[in-house]
Amino acid sequence: MVRISSNQYHQTAVNALLNQQAKLSEVQEQLATGRKILNPSDDPSGSARVLELAQSIESSERYNRNIGFAESRMGLEESVLDEASSSLQRIRELTIQARNGSNTAEDRQKIASEVREQWQHLRQLANSTDGNGEYLFAGSQTETRPFVTRNGEVAYEGDQNVREVQVGPGRTMATTHSGYDVFMDLPTSYRADADAGNTGNASVAVYVDQASANDVSGYNVTFTTPPGGGDMEYTVTDAATPPNTVASGVYEPGEPIELSGDGVTIVPHGDPADGDSFTIASGDNRSVFATVDRLASALEGASDSEAARNRFQAVGDRALAEIDAAMENMQRVRAEIGGRMNGLDSERNANEAAALEMKTTRSDIRDLDYASAVSELSRRMAGMQAAQQSYSKIQGMTLFNYL
């Protein structure tokens, strides 16, 4: 027979009461916090999983913050390019106006003043900053002013890199374009240089019709009068040895001549003399700023002589071709921005869906089932009351009551 002392009897009852209090306290704390895992020791594997999910959720939310930053910069860039395109469109309209043969030298000089203003406006747009004071078109050198003027020419001081942000697991996206890509790297342009022995007052403009145009550097345009007299004729030969004739016909001032298969068109103006010739060469500068500056300089130096008018026609034709190329380039950049912004929308949706799924999983592991917890609280309270009542009875039990 086991002998149980009064002290042991009382201690057992107290321990049972304390155990019920601890379990009741745990349920009360779970209800107060809404968590079923209060300490890592309650569920080590579940706690580790909750920590991993919390880190993944934070990453998804950080990606979406990056997406918001990227959208802000892209939206600002798109707005600047829209304004720059409008400025180029105005310059194009002024060029067409200036090419009108009824304009005097004074008229063209007046037009030059607005072209100069638009040139300044374009340079200002190219040096635009974001809300943090960083330059949009400086590449990765965002604190460096990208476009500066040296000796009357605009030079690019940034680099050709672009800033990227991570917008999803394993995916980064460029937030802007470099200023070189937008304003400096225009499609190849050409000019037609008059030979030193020319005696007429003709000029020739060269248009690039398509991005995949063949190289026409070294092509030669020659004007000749038939031996028996008659209308002036032209002959265009390539740079091969011996040269091949690629186009020929009767010369009509201002009438385009397509170089078959090359994606290039030449437009002669004025009155060439017999034997006059022109050699086509690549343009020396493909910057939009150089194009507008060259046009403005031609307008400022306009003259009313017939030869000067013909020369300006060629300058105007070349300016139109290069302005069109610049506008097409900006449209390409804007299309890329639109594509990137669509990609950001898709990536945001994917991040939000992933975060929602992870939050649901974390909730299943960590969060409390209130219905079950309330039932458990009622059970623990009943147990506590039973323990208290039993202890009250046990406390009054002593042998001395029966002596």
Side-chain angles (χ1 to χ4, degrees):
M1 184 176 69
V2 179
R3 181 180 179 183
I4 300 176
S5 66
S6 296
N7 180 60
Q8 184 179 0
Y9 206 62
H10 283 281
Q11 188 62 47
T12 300
V14 169
N15 289 341
L17 182 61
L18 293 174
N19 184 51
Q20 290 294 334
Q21 286 178 330
K23 291 179 178 179
L24 179 60
S25 176
E26 180 181 356
V27 175
Q28 287 176 323
E29 187 176 355
Q30 287 177 333
L31 285 168
T33 59
R35 308 278 179 86
K36 62 183 177 184
I37 300 178
L38 300 175
N39 299 294
S41 58
D42 296 339
D43 184 355
S45 62
S47 297
R49 180 60 178 154
V50 166
L51 182 59
E52 292 174 357
L53 289 169
Q55 293 173 340
S56 297
I57 291 168
E58 171 59 27
S59 295
S60 293
E61 292 174 345
R62 183 173 64 252
Y63 294 148
N64 279 353
R65 289 194 295 271
N66 289 346
I67 287 173
F69 165 76
E71 284 181 331
S72 176
R73 286 181 67 90
M74 289 182 187
L76 184 55
E77 182 186 9
E78 205 282 333
S79 177
V80 170
L81 292 181
D82 180 56
E83 182 66 23
S85 296
S86 297
S87 183
L88 285 174
Q89 179 61 37
R90 179 54 183 163
I91 295 171
R92 190 180 193 283
E93 292 170 358
L94 292 170
T95 304
I96 293 173
Q97 178 183 342
R99 289 174 70 251
N100 191 313
S102 64
N103 285 308
T104 64
E106 184 179 357
D107 294 332
R108 290 194 171 105
Q109 289 164 3
K110 289 177 181 179
I111 294 173
S113 62
E114 185 175 352
V115 172
R116 280 292 179 196
E117 287 298 323
Q118 294 294 340
W119 179 81
Q120 294 284 1
H121 185 49
L122 280 172
R123 191 182 60 169
Q124 179 183 358
L125 290 172
N127 285 323
S128 296
T129 59
D130 62 11
N132 298 320
E134 297 181 335
Y135 290 100
L136 286 176
F137 299 107
S140 61
Q141 307 295 323
T142 54
E143 296 183 359
T144 300
R145 188 178 182 86
F147 294 95
V148 297
T149 303
R150 292 199 188 96
N151 301 321
E153 295 183 357
V154 177
Y156 181 60
E157 294 289 304
D159 58 32
Q160 297 184 44
N161 300 319
V162 292
R163 290 186 62 178
E164 295 184 341
V165 296
Q166 189 165 1
V167 296
R171 183 178 184 184
T172 60
M173 188 170 291
T175 59
T176 55
H177 294 76
S178 73
Y180 182 85
D181 186 26
V182 177
F183 298 98
M184 307 296 287
D185 190 25
L186 302 185
T188 301
S189 63
Y190 294 94
R191 66 177 188 276
D193 297 329
D195 287 1
N198 287 3
T199 57
N201 61 3
S203 60
V204 176
V206 185
Y207 289 90
V208 178
D209 299 331
Q210 56 195 41
S212 59
N214 294 333
D215 183 10
V216 294
S217 298
Y219 278 35
N220 185 268
V221 185
T222 303
F223 298 93
T224 56
T225 301
D231 295 331
M232 180 73 69
E233 297 178 349
Y234 67 85
T235 302
V236 182
T237 56
D238 61 18
T241 304
N244 302 303
T245 299
V246 296
S248 62
V250 176
Y251 169 58
E252 296 182 20
E255 187 68 22
I257 301 171
E258 295 185 6
L259 304 185
S260 178
D262 291 323
V264 175
T265 300
I266 62 173
V267 183
H269 295 277
D271 298 316
D274 183 28
D276 283 358
S277 64
F278 295 81
T279 302
I280 299 175
S282 295
D284 52 1
N285 196 317
R286 296 184 291 173
S287 159
V288 64
F289 303 107
T291 293
V292 179
D293 178 64
R294 184 165 50 247
L295 173 64
S297 297
L299 289 167
E300 290 164 346
S303 169
D304 286 329
S305 69
E306 188 64 25
R309 286 174 177 272
N310 289 328
R311 283 195 300 271
F312 178 77
Q313 289 295 328
V315 172
D317 286 346
R318 180 182 177 186
L320 284 175
E322 293 180 355
I323 290 171
D324 287 344
M327 294 175 67
E328 183 178 349
N329 185 59
M330 287 188 183
Q331 188 62 31
R332 173 191 63 81
V333 173
R334 294 176 67 182
E336 287 183 3
I337 294 173
R340 290 177 183 176
M341 294 188 79
N342 288 338
L344 290 178
D345 286 339
S346 299
E347 199 65 39
R348 175 189 281 110
N349 293 336
N351 291 338
E352 289 176 348
L356 178 60
E357 183 66 27
M358 289 185 288
K359 287 178 181 179
T360 301
T361 302
R362 182 179 65 176
S363 178
D364 292 340
I365 298 172
R366 182 192 67 180
D367 294 344
L368 186 66
D369 181 350
Y370 277 94
S372 298
V374 170
S375 297
E376 180 69 11
L377 178 65
S378 298
R379 192 173 71 83
R380 292 299 179 186
M381 289 181 68
M384 181 69 180
Q385 290 173 353
Q388 288 173 335
Q389 291 174 0
S390 65
Y391 179 71
S392 176
K393 292 179 183 273
I394 291 171
Q395 189 179 25
M397 295 176 63
T398 175
L399 184 61
F400 293 101
N401 292 335
Y402 300 97
L403 294 177

